[in-house]
Amino acid sequence: AQSVTQPDIHITVSEGASLELRCNYSYGATPYLFWYVQSPGQGLQLLLKYFSGDTLVQGIKGFEAEFKRSQSSFNLRKPSVHWSDAAEYFCAVQGGADGLTFGKGTHLIIQP
Amino acid sequence: GAGVSQSPSNKVTEKGKDVELRCDPISGHTALYWYRQSLGQGLEFLIYFQGNSAPDKSGLPSDRFSAERTGGSVSTLTIQRTQQEDSAVYLCASSFERGVKETQYFGPGTRLLVL
């Protein structure tokens, strides 16, 4: 069975600073990987996804993620965060054609 | 365009009562998914539909949970004899088709509180 680990429950970053959120997955075959963001009281919005090909994927809102098979990682990055980026971030893997398996999430706090 | 909608947005009920949660997928999406988000368990996948069929119900937490989909569109998740541990946010998602490369689009969720 697949699993996702997000090691950081909370991360605090100053506005304008760079951001990296960590995600490690466990899956026996080629994983399909996703990052979603959830703002308070909102549903989940897809930031980006990786299926195959170029290991650096670009997403919305200036986010990118890099797939590293050797490290079983799919870390999310942003060069300069904005106060509006404060939210909960979820990494997910889809091994079969069914539901997504999510990590526990990382709560991002932006300091002014 | 219209996204996935869910109703009610909030539901407070008493322990032992039955509740129905509704999901309206994006028009034309054939696959529909239910998830539960709770403090203790995080985001859990419950069940999916391809058309009106739910081939695998093993993700439902107990036999008090059931789901159906009619007309290949609206789905309802029913919880019978609710318990306090059922308190959670229930999220619905839909995708154009069922498949590993299909993006799932999520609704805003129904926040259920069982007193």
Side-chain angles (χ1 to χ4, degrees):
Chain A
Q2 60 261 30
S3 66
V4 175
T5 301
Q6 293 179 248
D8 304 304
I9 298 174
H10 299 279
I11 280 190
T12 300
V13 178
S14 297
E15 190 168 15
S18 64
L19 170 70
E20 182 168 29
L21 302 182
R22 295 185 290 163
C23 171
N24 292 96
Y25 68 90
S26 173
Y27 184 64
T30 301
Y32 299 98
L33 296 160
F34 306 79
W35 275 99
Y36 281 86
V37 61
Q38 186 178 38
S39 298
Q42 304 296 311
L44 293 159
Q45 182 182 22
L46 180 68
L47 286 175
L48 47 77
K49 59 189 178 184
Y50 171 78
F51 291 154
S52 65
D54 193 348
T55 56
L56 185 64
V57 293
Q58 302 297 320
I60 63 171
K61 305 184 179 186
F63 285 93
E64 66 178 26
E66 186 171 13
F67 171 63
K68 293 185 177 180
R69 184 185 298 276
S70 62
Q71 298 177 19
S72 297
S73 70
F74 188 56
N75 294 349
L76 182 72
R77 301 194 294 246
K78 187 170 184 178
S80 176
V81 297
H82 185 262
W83 63 267
S84 60
D85 293 324
E88 192 84 15
Y89 290 80
F90 293 93
C91 181
V93 64
Q94 186 168 29
D98 304 328
L100 296 166
T101 298
F102 286 90
K104 296 291 188 184
T106 297
H107 184 60
L108 176 63
I109 300 166
I110 307 295
Q111 279 184 338
Chain B
V4 177
S5 61
Q6 293 185 245
S7 61
S9 54
N10 293 280
K11 176 72 176 179
V12 181
T13 191
E14 294 179 348
K15 177 182 172 182
K17 295 286 178 74
D18 297 351
V19 295
E20 270 192 5
L21 312 179
R22 176 188 169 106
C23 172
D24 266 292
I26 293 172
S27 178
H29 280 195
T30 62
L32 185 147
Y33 308 79
W34 283 99
Y35 294 82
R36 180 169 72 172
Q37 185 174 24
S38 59
L39 282 175
Q41 301 299 320
L43 270 158
E44 306 170 85
F45 166 67
L46 300 180
I47 192 169
Y48 80 89
F49 288 88
Q50 179 58 46
N52 294 330
S53 174
D56 182 1
K57 300 180 181 179
S58 63
L60 294 175
S62 76
D63 58 9
R64 297 183 295 102
F65 287 71
S66 63
E68 67 174 13
R69 189 179 185 195
T70 55
S73 182
V74 172
S75 175
T76 54
L77 179 69
T78 301
I79 310 173
Q80 295 178 310
R81 305 181 303 281
T82 52
Q83 303 294 311
Q84 288 180 332
E85 62 262 28
D86 299 333
S87 295
V89 177
Y90 290 83
L91 294 167
C92 175
S94 70
S95 62
F96 183 67
E97 292 179 341
R98 173 177 170 252
V100 291
K101 295 189 178 182
E102 293 292 327
T103 297
Q104 295 182 26
Y105 297 89
F106 284 79
T110 293
R111 186 175 300 274
L112 174 66
L113 178 61
V114 182
L115 300 177

